Amino acid sequence: MAGLIVLVNSVLLLLFGSDIFLVGANRPPAPVNVSVMHLRADSATVSWEVPEGDIIIGFSISQQRQDGHMQRFIREVNTTSRSCVLWDLEEETDYIIQVQSIGLYGESQASKKVHFRTLKKTDRFSSNSSNQDDPTVQGLDKSRHLQTGEMIIIVVVLVMWAAVIALFCRQYDIIKDNDSSNNKEKVKPLSERSTPEHQSGGLLRSKFHPSVPSINIIEV
């Protein structure tokens, strides 16, 4: 009986150990050439490379301040991206990052630690931040152009509405002035009306004439 138990335990250990070995063997290798570029006061871009021949479905980044006060983990799957933007950083602060690849059978070991320090808000960007081939920078430029285009559209719409309102007010004033003129023509004082004329061309005389006094001549 004791021998049977030992045999069962040995088989279980062998199977469990083989599974661990297969899973560990199928894990992707750690990312290489991890670098930080496009440093700013509140953001930075992390990029890395993955050895060829492995299926990578995502990445994981651990971000920590050098003094150890804050730690953040970023995990993204179903992506082939090899870069990531770190936001909400503090200016003039030292950070440490490590990158892991995510494969079909788990995560790789962490890459080597990379140290970087953010800039002041008054500092200019470093020279490598002007690289237009970086997808993150292109995305930021596109968002800026989109915001500018939206502002232009809003301004054009406002100007058109202002022109329509001004035209409407102008037409209303013209109609109001015409109505006032017509009312003045209809209502005139009697003194301004012309005196009616007789058919013969002369002025119509009054029907009542003062009586002429009669003169009696008496002969002596």
Side-chain angles (χ1 to χ4, degrees):
M1 187 65 181
L4 182 60
I5 295 175
V6 172
L7 180 60
V8 172
N9 290 334
S10 300
V11 172
L12 292 176
L13 290 175
L14 180 61
L15 293 175
F16 185 72
S18 62
D19 290 340
I20 294 176
F21 175 77
L22 290 175
V23 172
N26 291 328
R27 285 183 178 178
V32 296
N33 298 330
V34 180
S35 61
V36 179
M37 54 186 177
H38 308 303
L39 281 172
R40 300 184 180 182
D42 58 352
S43 65
T45 301
V46 182
S47 64
W48 62 89
E49 296 179 1
V50 176
E52 297 180 359
D54 294 288
I55 300 177
I56 305 300
I57 62 173
F59 62 86
S60 177
I61 298 176
S62 63
Q63 168 193 328
Q64 182 179 1
R65 284 176 48 172
Q66 192 167 1
D67 55 13
H69 288 172
M70 183 188 68
Q71 191 170 8
R72 178 185 301 171
F73 292 95
I74 302 173
R75 181 184 176 90
E76 186 172 349
V77 295
N78 297 328
T79 180
T80 58
S81 177
R82 300 292 182 266
S83 64
C84 179
V85 180
L86 307 178
W87 298 100
D88 298 329
L89 303 179
E90 298 181 7
E91 62 175 338
E92 292 189 294
T93 304
D94 294 315
Y95 289 91
I96 302 173
I97 60 169
Q98 287 182 292
V99 184
Q100 291 177 277
S101 296
I102 301 176
L104 297 175
Y105 300 98
E107 298 182 357
S108 69
Q109 293 183 351
S111 65
K112 294 182 179 179
K113 294 182 180 180
V114 176
H115 300 255
F116 69 93
R117 182 179 179 85
T118 55
L119 305 177
K120 290 183 180 180
K121 291 184 178 180
T122 56
D123 291 344
R124 293 182 177 272
F125 303 153
S126 57
S127 59
N128 60 356
S129 63
S130 60
N131 184 9
Q132 298 299 325
D133 296 332
D134 181 68
T136 304
V137 176
Q138 292 178 358
L140 293 175
D141 292 338
K142 289 181 181 179
S143 64
R144 294 193 190 99
H145 292 315
L146 181 61
Q147 293 177 358
T148 304
E150 291 176 351
M151 291 299 297
I152 292 175
I153 293 174
I154 293 174
V155 171
V156 171
V157 172
L158 291 177
V159 171
M160 291 177 63
W161 272 107
V164 171
I165 293 174
L167 181 61
F168 175 79
C169 294
R170 178 61 180 169
Q171 293 295 328
Y172 178 77
D173 292 338
I174 292 174
I175 295 173
K176 188 176 180 181
D177 292 341
N178 291 335
D179 292 340
S180 299
S181 300
N182 293 333
N183 293 332
K184 289 181 180 179
E185 289 293 333
K186 291 179 180 179
V187 181
K188 284 187 175 181
L190 295 177
S191 60
E192 294 182 2
R193 297 182 180 180
S194 58
T195 305
E197 298 181 354
H198 195 266
Q199 293 181 355
S200 61
L203 295 176
L204 182 63
R205 297 180 179 179
S206 176
K207 295 181 180 180
F208 301 98
H209 298 281
S211 59
V212 179
S214 61
I215 302 174
N216 296 325
I217 301 175
I218 301 174
E219 294 181 356
V220 180

